[in-house]
Amino acid sequence: MSDLNIIVESFEKKFSNIKSKEELQNLKSEFFGKNGLISSEFKKMNTLNPEDRKTFAKSLNDIKNQITHQIEKRFKDFENQTINEKLKSEKVDVTLPTKITHNGKIHPVSQVIDEISSIFSEIGFSVAEGPDVESEYNNFTALNTPENHPARDMHDTFYLDKNKKTLLRTHTSPVQIRTMSNGKPPFKIIVPGRTYRCDSDQTHAPMFHQLEGLHIDKNITMGHLKGCLNYFIREFFEVKKIKMRFRPSHFPFTEPSAEVDIGYKVENDKIVIGEGDKWLEILGCGMVHPNVLKNTNVDPSKFQGFAFGMGIDRLAMLKYGINDLRAFFETDYRWLNHFGFDPLDIPTNYRGLSR
Amino acid sequence: MILTISWLKNHLKTSASLDDIIDKLTKIGLEVEGIKDSSGAISEFKIAKILKTENHPNADKLKICDVSIGGSLVVKVVCGAKNARSGLITVYAPPGAIIPKTKMKLKVAKIRGVESKGMLCSESELNLSNENAGIIELKNKDVKIGKSFFKSPGEKAIDLSITPNRPDCLGVRGIARDLAAAGVGRLIKLKTSKFKQVSNQSIKVSITKEKNQGCQAFASCLIKGVKNQESPKWLKDKIQSLGLKPISAIVDITNYVMFDLNRPLHAYDADKINKEIIVRNSKDGESFSALDDKKYILKKDMCVIADKSGVLGLGGIIGGTRSSTELETKNILLESAYFNPASIRKTAKTLSIETDAKYRFERGIDPNSMIDGLKLATELILKICGGVASKFSISGKKNYKNKSINLNSEKFKKVIGLTIRESETKKILGNLGFNTKSSKKIFKVKIPTWRPDVSQDIDLVEELIRIKGFDKIDFIEPEKMRTKETLNFHQKLFHLSQRCVSNKGYHEAVTWSFTDQKIDELINDDKNFISILNPISKDLNVLRRSIFSNLLFYLKKNHDRGFQDIALFEIGPIFYGKKPGDQQIVIGAVKSGQLNKKSWSEKTRNVDIFDMKTDVIKTLKEIGIKEDEMFVSDKTKNCYHPGRSGSVNLNSMNGPIIARFGEIHPSIISKLDFKEKNIYGFEIFLKNIPEPEKKLRISKENYVFSDFQISERDFAFVLDKNYQVGKLDKIIRNLDKNIKSVDIFDVFQGGNLPDNKKSIAINVSIQSDKKTLSDNDLNQISEKIIKEVENKTGGNIRS
């Protein structure tokens, strides 16, 4: 028995002095090797009588397990220590900058067109389009603006031929003509698109974007027009209520015609839409003139409805606080970067218009 | 149209406040653009006297004036006017005043080192006339130094924007009528004035009968023995309130009547008319000197007022100097005529003339106002200038009948969605001058001749709701229901591809649809321009035929701002003809400079063609083109570097072109004067992207996968240097269905290789869906690959 105690004592002593994995390995061999101290003790077992053997075996096994456990644990510690040292040496400076990625941006006009389409989609409008080059007939005559009508003065038109038969569309309204001439009512469309007028200053660009709306059915009244625009403006500016005023005006292609103002106030140099006692003109609209319906072979005694038009660039400016219209088209990288939108920021009905 | 409240009250009996009137004007569609000359601002302009002048020490043409501005106040003003002299009474604008002409706000400023407090004004600066030769010289003795120069301060002028359909509101009376109908007051009856009309009008007036005769009627009055003179104060004030310069009583009276009743008139010096008045069409090349000091050479068939010697003026547009009235004029012929709007407009447009009379006639004057206008003007002339008036003579059409429209009483409700009582309909229309009779739900409405815009029942509906008020209409909340798709395939493709490209690091630009002809030619290498007849400027004079023209132009601008390593794209129309529809939507993208500049971790390198190819192919994949449907070749276009550009065609080399990519042609780069010359671009032609069949798009192919051992084999071949390695992918794949992928992982030239050779390394993954392939199977496939590649390329396996 005392032999075993000596072995344990000797192990404890040596074990406490172990400094490396190699020494531990040697210690292990010393005790468990072929002629190791423990192994030798096991060999002794055969010489004992069965009675003693039993107790001896138990003690020996306990010692063996205890020592093995200690050694294994120490091996683990050495391993961990090595790994930790290695990892420590691998430490990097995570405050270094990220790799250079290039994030593109979506132009505010495109973003706003997507927002608008999303809003009108919900109330059943489809998107229609037409060419940028238009016939004088579609752009003016069919829209109840015959030649020599003073209303033509309101549009400074770019012409492509001397006879003034082809032009760059001055508004998106010719798409009304195209849609109605080529289809059967009901019609429920919006038309976002490029429009052109040869006019250029701080608030006018020779090219700008317009949104046309047209809803023709059997019983569409001015009440529907007011409701539709009120809904749109509310949704677009993401406000619950909007102050809105319809003023009589004149467009050759609608009768009655109205211009729409929305209420706003200025707070900290920023325009706040929807409240306040100032008015901002935002769009023109009206009930489609019977002459326009006749020109497109829609029977005005059976069908009626409304149309509206508004400036998309201006909507973008108001919503996103952009001051200068000309900057939209100047492709200044810094401007695009500042006012542009992340391409993954897609306006949708279910997720909302803006983040 | 300018309106003052005092003038309005000549026609409207009302106690409404200015704010109420402004509010009502807006509500009934007479848009208030602004309130001009509010007393605060305009009263700052003071009558002042120059006490003494001395020469400016540092400028020959400037004088330093001591100016008395009332009481004992004297200020020093630096003035450049030649007529600035001591004793002169003139108009002084203090610091803070806004000069009407320039809209500039005055500040105390040092002019050539001498401080000037305010300025002395010319008539031009105050918008009184075009007179800008010197400062105003006030001669009236009754002026008081220090008093406000502008009469009736506190009188505000409302600036109205009148829509083209409402010519009747280009006169104060028309506005008064609308306001009265809207409940702001009562329209005062026109006073019928009585004056003696002794003899007949003795100057013969004839309107020739010819095609396109622009004059329908010509009423006139001859007034003899007048004494023309400066207008009395009340009239001058009226004329000035319009922003016009008083000229003489006769001219001022004709202007007054025009703005009062919307009835343009013209006064001739009767003694300057050679025998008679002939209203006829002009002959080509005829000319006359007009009152705007310009000489006009006429085209055929313009409506002119002439005498035996030739053209006196353009009827309804502008008079001529030959017959103009002057202070010395003794006998005048007063014209009150009706001209065809279309004829007026055509003539004025051809000659680029803009006058108040033309503005009114082209919109449509009340033809029945000829006599009312003559009456009022004659009465005023007799009163102010004396003389004897003739009877009125009318040549041409004497009576204009009222049109009549039937209005169904249900129409209003049908269009507006609101009911209106019969009595209200009658009242509104009646107040607007429409005579209504109703029977069996139909109103028979007589249209007054001053309302040329009203021609059908819908126009009457507009009148009713306009006066009743749009605010009475309830909002009907839209139904949230969709029966048609919002976007069609190509619209969806547009939005998807836009975001796909942007997501690869490109900033979206929106540039003009037009461009500079020079750049257009450079990029398209021909002169088949699509020219704009009246471009905004000469460097935006053609429709763009390539998306690159403007993109490169703006890329250069960004380079000049110091941003060289950027990527831009635009999605939009390019044009190939002048007809509507000769256009297609394309995506154009440009990328320039270097990548990973200022990166601590990555190597800086130039952007290259394979960056563009990667972006293009990835975008095409994202928008639904499968890789094996794309055929890349070195077919190219002039705007690209011929050796560093390519095309992607659909389904075969000769299929529809869906994209191009490559380095922008160096000669374009150098002609556009780029300093950073490493510029690449790509184009995607969206119209050639086919719409997949619906079912194919939704249900995916069966997913087949194999769990058997995958083997990889590497091959190296020596090929002709010009061999297009891209072809090998399809060649090898087609050999055996067990070949799963082909990757080219090295291309090498030089070293021991002959100059005309290159070496490529290919990795091929081989896997069967049915079994683990044996060495034998694999060797057979390898041999097939070697044989086929050698065969197709004329190259050799590298041993």
Side-chain angles (χ1 to χ4, degrees):
Chain A
M1 292 295 272
S2 60
D3 281 354
L4 290 183
N5 279 336
I6 290 165
I7 288 173
V8 171
E9 254 171 48
S10 136
F11 173 78
E12 295 291 352
K13 199 175 171 193
K14 286 180 177 167
F15 185 73
S16 64
N17 286 327
I18 290 294
K19 292 212 165 52
S20 72
K21 214 172 149 184
E22 288 72 33
E23 285 174 22
L24 185 63
Q25 187 60 47
N26 292 341
L27 186 69
K28 193 180 170 186
S29 308
E30 194 180 318
F31 283 82
F32 295 104
K34 215 173 173 186
N35 297 311
L37 293 173
I38 301 280
S39 312
S40 310
E41 289 303 317
F42 273 106
K43 285 175 191 159
K44 285 183 188 163
M45 280 223 273
N46 292 333
T47 61
L48 298 175
N49 63 40
E51 196 78 339
D52 290 342
R53 194 189 300 165
K54 210 175 173 184
T55 31
F56 182 75
K58 189 177 180 300
S59 305
L60 186 57
N61 266 324
D62 283 350
I63 287 167
K64 179 201 162 193
N65 286 341
Q66 184 200 331
I67 291 179
T68 309
H69 178 75
Q70 272 180 287
I71 289 176
E72 289 311 315
K73 189 173 174 287
R74 197 66 196 270
F75 265 123
K76 270 254 162 61
D77 289 347
F78 277 125
E79 226 162 80
N80 283 340
Q81 198 184 337
T82 321
I83 287 170
N84 285 340
E85 270 162 18
K86 180 163 184 276
L87 294 186
K88 207 173 171 189
S89 75
E90 285 169 357
K91 185 176 169 64
V92 297
D93 178 2
V94 294
T95 66
L96 276 168
T98 59
K99 297 204 175 178
I100 294 176
T101 56
H102 296 274
N103 301 314
K105 285 286 170 75
I106 291 289
H107 195 283
V109 165
S110 302
Q111 186 74 9
V112 164
I113 288 177
D114 282 355
E115 291 183 16
I116 291 169
S117 308
S118 170
I119 295 167
F120 279 105
S121 167
E122 191 121 320
I123 51 172
F125 283 78
S126 300
V127 175
E129 289 163 301
D132 298 56
V133 174
E134 260 298 358
S135 66
E136 172 264 355
Y137 178 81
N138 281 348
N139 195 78
F140 288 124
T141 314
L143 287 161
N144 201 30
T145 319
E147 200 178 355
N148 283 328
H149 191 292
R152 287 204 185 186
D153 280 351
M154 299 195 291
H155 297 210
D156 300 307
T157 312
F158 287 113
Y159 288 100
L160 294 179
D161 68 333
K162 279 198 190 113
N163 300 325
K164 301 193 168 177
K165 288 295 171 206
T166 45
L167 45 81
L168 293 178
R169 64 178 179 192
T170 58
H171 46 183
T172 40
S173 309
V175 183
Q176 285 186 28
I177 302 300
R178 288 176 174 272
T179 304
M180 292 196 285
S181 306
N182 296 326
K184 285 210 167 97
F187 302 105
K188 201 171 182 185
I189 55 160
I190 53 163
V191 187
R194 293 177 172 220
T195 47
Y196 308 86
R197 292 188 197 175
C198 50
D199 188 358
S200 188
D201 58 41
Q202 205 53 30
T203 52
H204 296 91
M207 183 185 93
F208 54 101
H209 295 82
Q210 227 180 39
L211 176 80
E212 189 80 10
L214 175 73
H215 187 188
I216 301 287
D217 208 333
K218 287 198 171 125
N219 292 306
I220 301 300
T221 69
M222 266 200 116
H224 293 100
L225 168 61
K226 281 184 77 173
C228 174
L229 290 173
N230 188 270
Y231 169 79
F232 167 69
I233 296 290
R234 248 166 33 216
E235 291 285 314
F236 180 75
F237 287 106
E238 301 177 53
V239 291
K240 287 213 170 62
K241 259 179 115 176
I242 192 106
K243 245 177 97 178
M244 201 170 200
R245 157 174 107 171
F246 285 69
R247 268 187 297 111
S249 187
H250 171 71
F251 308 105
F253 33 93
T254 48
E255 187 86 341
S257 302
E259 275 178 341
V260 178
D261 300 334
I262 52 175
Y264 77 100
K265 63 180 177 189
V266 178
E267 233 174 49
N268 305 324
D269 282 343
K270 284 270 178 197
I271 286 183
V272 182
I273 298 288
E275 38 195 316
D277 53 4
K278 293 192 161 105
W279 292 106
L280 194 71
E281 186 183 323
I282 196 155
L283 64 91
C285 62
M287 298 299 288
V288 175
H289 198 292
N291 291 359
V292 175
L293 296 175
K294 276 181 218 155
N295 288 340
T296 55
N297 293 321
V298 174
D299 183 351
S301 68
K302 294 202 177 91
F303 293 97
Q304 63 179 43
F306 62 77
F308 57 82
M310 61 186 106
I312 293 174
D313 317 86
R314 200 167 138 73
L315 285 175
M317 288 168 80
L318 286 173
K319 182 164 180 177
Y320 294 108
I322 308 171
N323 290 325
D324 184 8
L325 171 69
R326 305 268 314 180
F328 275 68
F329 309 110
E330 276 167 1
T331 315
D332 185 327
Y333 192 76
R334 298 163 296 183
W335 188 91
L336 295 173
N337 211 29
H338 181 77
F339 286 112
F341 291 81
D342 189 293
L344 296 181
D345 189 2
I346 307 170
T348 56
N349 293 332
Y350 66 89
R351 207 209 62 203
L353 290 188
S354 50
R355 281 184 182 172
Chain B
M1 176 72 196
I2 303 281
L3 177 74
T4 58
I5 297 300
S6 62
W7 197 335
L8 179 68
K9 285 186 173 174
N10 288 354
H11 292 283
L12 186 72
K13 189 167 172 52
T14 181
S15 53
S17 69
L18 178 70
D19 284 346
D20 287 347
I21 290 172
I22 288 170
D23 184 54
K24 206 54 161 181
L25 285 167
T26 302
K27 281 201 171 125
I28 59 176
L30 304 176
E31 189 182 354
V32 176
E33 290 257 288
I35 313 296
K36 276 194 174 173
D37 297 352
S38 67
S39 57
I42 209 72
S43 63
E44 292 172 320
F45 293 86
K46 294 218 154 60
I47 296 170
K49 186 176 184 178
I50 302 178
L51 301 177
K52 75 169 199 207
T53 67
E54 53 183 294
N55 290 332
H56 193 292
N58 308 323
D60 293 345
K61 286 182 180 165
L62 296 179
K63 288 174 202 145
I64 302 164
C65 310
D66 286 357
V67 180
S68 163
I69 56 169
S72 58
L73 292 173
V74 176
V75 290
K76 279 200 188 301
V77 176
V78 177
C79 180
K82 272 188 193 153
N83 61 341
R85 59 180 187 271
S86 69
L88 180 70
I89 298 176
T90 185
V91 178
Y92 165 76
I98 293 165
I99 302 302
K101 185 181 185 177
T102 56
K103 310 273 184 283
M104 295 263 285
K105 195 171 182 176
L106 285 184
K107 282 187 232 158
V108 178
K110 276 194 174 170
I111 300 174
R112 294 278 187 111
V114 176
E115 190 178 80
S116 178
K117 276 196 173 145
M119 72 182 245
L120 303 175
C121 308
S122 70
E123 290 195 352
S124 150
E125 281 156 342
L126 296 183
N127 272 347
L128 297 176
S129 74
N130 293 326
E131 186 57 59
N132 59 5
I135 53 177
I136 294 173
E137 300 201 11
L138 293 173
K139 284 170 190 150
N140 274 356
K141 286 172 192 159
D142 58 349
V143 297
K144 283 198 184 130
I145 310 301
K147 277 204 112 182
S148 174
F149 168 66
F150 287 100
K151 300 292 186 326
S152 47
E155 169 84 324
K156 290 180 184 176
I158 304 169
D159 189 1
L160 290 172
S161 162
I162 303 293
T163 50
N165 60 324
R166 294 301 305 279
D168 61 310
C169 287
L170 295 172
V172 176
R173 185 163 183 82
I175 298 168
R177 186 187 297 115
D178 255 36
L179 281 171
V184 169
R186 186 172 55 77
L187 186 69
I188 298 167
K189 260 194 153 181
L190 266 191
K191 273 176 256 161
T192 42
S193 30
K194 279 180 188 151
F195 45 84
K196 273 188 192 163
Q197 289 176 288
V198 192
S199 52
N200 284 331
Q201 203 280 82
S202 59
I203 296 176
K204 188 185 163 196
V205 176
S206 55
I207 303 170
T208 59
K209 279 194 179 143
E210 53 190 320
K211 216 181 151 192
N212 304 324
Q213 169 59 266
C215 178
Q216 292 180 9
F218 192 112
S220 58
C221 178
L222 182 65
I223 308 173
K224 284 186 170 168
V226 298
K227 192 176 176 304
N228 198 6
Q229 55 193 282
E230 206 176 308
S231 293
K233 183 177 175 302
W234 71 265
L235 180 54
K236 273 188 172 170
D237 284 353
K238 288 265 184 296
I239 296 300
Q240 279 174 349
S241 74
L242 297 168
L244 298 176
K245 186 190 170 192
I247 294 169
S248 70
I250 289 173
V251 174
D252 294 348
I253 287 166
T254 56
N255 276 331
Y256 173 77
V257 173
M258 172 162 68
F259 283 93
D260 191 55
L261 299 180
N262 189 32
R263 168 27 78 183
L265 303 168
H266 189 69
Y268 300 85
D269 185 330
D271 298 330
K272 295 176 185 168
I273 297 170
N274 186 353
K275 285 187 184 152
E276 58 176 306
I277 292 283
I278 308 150
V279 186
R280 60 167 170 86
N281 285 357
S282 59
K283 299 175 192 89
D284 202 23
E286 271 188 300
S287 70
F288 80 109
S289 295
L291 291 171
D292 60 0
D293 294 329
K294 284 182 194 153
K295 190 178 172 183
Y296 291 99
I297 296 163
L298 308 182
K299 295 257 171 1
K300 200 170 172 283
D301 285 352
M302 294 175 163
C303 177
V304 295
I305 314 296
D307 63 4
K308 281 290 179 191
S309 320
V311 175
L312 292 170
L314 282 166
I317 300 175
I318 195 165
T321 50
R322 182 157 68 85
S323 57
S324 70
T325 57
E326 291 163 289
L327 283 175
E328 295 73 32
T329 297
K330 296 274 176 302
N331 304 311
I332 58 169
L333 180 73
L334 209 51
E335 163 203 310
S336 181
Y338 182 74
F339 298 96
N340 213 336
S343 154
I344 291 280
R345 188 174 156 78
K346 198 175 161 201
T347 300
K349 244 195 150 178
T350 311
L351 300 173
S352 302
I353 309 178
E354 193 58 60
T355 63
D356 287 322
K358 169 254 165 185
Y359 192 79
R360 286 167 171 73
F361 275 118
E362 74 169 351
R363 281 160 172 72
I365 285 297
D366 179 4
N368 284 337
S369 71
M370 282 192 304
I371 295 303
D372 283 343
L374 268 189
K375 268 188 195 161
L376 179 57
T378 306
E379 182 197 355
L380 289 170
I381 290 172
L382 294 179
K383 206 185 265 173
I384 296 167
C385 308
V388 183
S390 74
K391 288 177 183 164
F392 298 152
S393 95
I394 305 178
S395 306
K397 200 170 171 180
K398 291 185 176 63
N399 252 316
Y400 287 82
K401 290 224 172 76
N402 298 88
K403 279 180 290 179
S404 186
I405 296 172
N406 288 341
L407 173 67
N408 189 312
S409 62
E410 293 299 310
K411 180 80 178 177
F412 184 85
K413 169 120 207 300
K414 174 115 173 58
V415 175
I416 307 295
L418 190 69
T419 42
I420 188 167
R421 281 206 305 273
E422 193 173 312
S423 58
E424 195 178 1
T425 302
K426 279 187 161 172
K427 188 179 163 208
I428 291 175
L429 291 177
N431 285 340
L432 289 170
F434 295 80
N435 199 328
T436 49
K437 274 184 196 158
S438 58
S439 68
K440 290 178 195 162
K441 295 200 162 188
I442 301 284
F443 296 101
K444 207 174 168 65
V445 184
K446 268 194 177 168
I447 313 303
T449 46
W450 63 77
R451 289 303 299 270
D453 60 310
V454 176
S455 62
Q456 39 184 293
D457 58 357
I458 192 73
D459 300 323
L460 294 171
V461 171
E462 173 172 54
E463 290 304 303
L464 292 172
I465 190 60
R466 185 171 72 83
I467 300 300
K468 197 171 161 60
F470 281 122
D471 52 349
K472 303 285 188 314
I473 307 170
D474 286 332
F475 293 96
I476 301 173
E477 195 66 13
E479 228 180 316
K480 293 205 176 174
M481 198 173 73
R482 193 186 304 133
T483 50
K484 271 186 185 166
E485 271 199 299
T486 307
L487 302 177
N488 64 29
F489 168 72
H490 274 280
Q491 290 164 341
K492 286 178 192 165
L493 189 66
F494 182 102
H495 293 291
L496 175 61
S497 56
Q498 180 177 44
R499 288 178 189 270
C500 287
V501 173
S502 179
N503 205 31
K504 292 175 182 54
Y506 294 80
H507 279 39
E508 187 187 15
V510 176
T511 75
W512 314 126
S513 297
F514 19 79
T515 189
D516 186 344
Q517 173 179 319
K518 279 179 250 141
I519 305 179
D520 188 61
E521 181 180 353
L522 212 56
I523 287 171
N524 294 285
D525 204 27
D526 65 43
K527 290 182 193 288
N528 305 324
F529 305 122
I530 307 167
S531 305
I532 297 166
L533 213 64
N534 52 335
I536 195 89
S537 68
K538 68 177 191 316
D539 51 9
L540 289 173
N541 61 340
V542 295
L543 289 185
R544 62 186 188 191
R545 292 181 291 157
S546 162
I547 198 102
F548 282 145
S549 34
N550 290 338
L551 271 184
L552 288 172
F553 175 82
Y554 287 112
L555 181 69
K556 166 82 165 56
K557 282 203 152 186
N558 280 302
H559 282 191
D560 294 346
R561 290 184 193 113
F563 297 88
Q564 284 89 16
D565 309 320
I566 60 171
L568 297 171
F569 85 103
E570 178 170 12
I571 176 165
I574 61 168
F575 301 84
Y576 48 86
K578 276 192 175 176
K579 287 199 298 293
D582 287 351
Q583 66 181 77
Q584 62 164 314
I585 297 286
V586 302
I587 298 174
V590 291
K591 201 179 232 182
S592 64
Q594 296 181 308
L595 296 176
N596 296 324
K597 207 185 266 176
K598 294 184 185 170
S599 167
W600 62 273
S601 59
E602 311 293 311
K603 249 193 172 166
T604 302
R605 66 170 177 86
N606 277 340
V607 169
D608 65 38
I609 178 174
F610 291 100
D611 293 320
M612 297 318 265
K613 185 178 177 184
T614 306
D615 291 342
V616 141
I617 300 291
K618 187 145 188 263
T619 301
L620 290 174
K621 280 205 258 182
E622 285 165 353
I623 62 178
I625 310 290
K626 293 202 192 97
E627 202 152 14
D628 59 5
E629 295 170 337
M630 301 181 206
F631 285 77
V632 178
S633 70
D634 60 0
K635 281 190 286 189
T636 187
K637 266 207 117 182
N638 295 319
C639 60
Y640 293 102
H641 184 307
R644 289 190 197 154
S645 57
S647 302
V648 187
N649 294 64
L650 194 65
N651 296 329
S652 81
M653 291 295 182
N654 300 315
I657 174 123
I658 50 177
R660 281 198 191 92
F661 60 93
E663 185 176 333
I664 303 297
H665 199 293
S667 74
I668 293 176
I669 303 285
S670 82
K671 278 187 187 133
L672 291 178
D673 211 17
F674 274 97
K675 278 166 206 84
E676 164 61 68
K677 294 179 192 305
N678 192 48
I679 301 169
Y680 290 82
F682 70 73
E683 298 158 280
I684 296 175
F685 306 97
L686 291 179
K687 73 163 183 171
N688 287 337
I689 308 288
E691 178 169 4
E693 278 179 41
K694 191 96 188 168
K695 275 183 185 160
L696 267 175
R697 242 195 307 157
I698 291 170
S699 76
K700 299 202 169 191
E701 289 165 25
N702 282 337
Y703 181 52
V704 186
F705 54 90
S706 163
D707 282 333
F708 296 102
Q709 171 78 38
I710 189 160
S711 307
E712 304 207 1
R713 289 285 185 275
D714 288 350
F715 303 90
F717 291 98
V718 176
L719 308 176
D720 187 90
K721 194 178 87 178
N722 292 323
Y723 185 80
Q724 294 180 333
V725 179
K727 295 177 191 165
L728 287 179
D729 184 88
K730 284 194 179 82
I731 290 174
I732 297 172
R733 273 169 189 271
N734 288 340
L735 279 176
D736 194 298
K737 63 177 188 316
N738 292 326
I739 296 178
K740 295 283 141 129
S741 68
V742 177
D743 294 292
I744 290 147
F745 65 90
D746 191 38
V747 179
F748 174 76
Q749 271 174 269
N752 295 329
L753 288 170
D755 281 352
N756 59 347
K757 298 284 179 194
K758 65 182 166 194
S759 156
I760 59 154
I762 306 172
N763 172 285
V764 181
S765 302
I766 306 163
Q767 184 188 35
S768 164
D769 298 339
K770 298 190 182 77
K771 60 170 188 175
T772 299
L773 294 172
S774 67
D775 277 356
N776 194 27
D777 295 332
L778 290 170
N779 287 342
Q780 274 181 16
I781 293 173
S782 291
E783 267 163 40
K784 259 204 283 189
I785 291 172
I786 293 165
K787 200 173 152 200
E788 184 72 6
V789 171
E790 286 184 340
N791 234 339
K792 285 269 160 73
T793 64
N796 295 102
I797 187 83
R798 219 174 170 190
S799 43

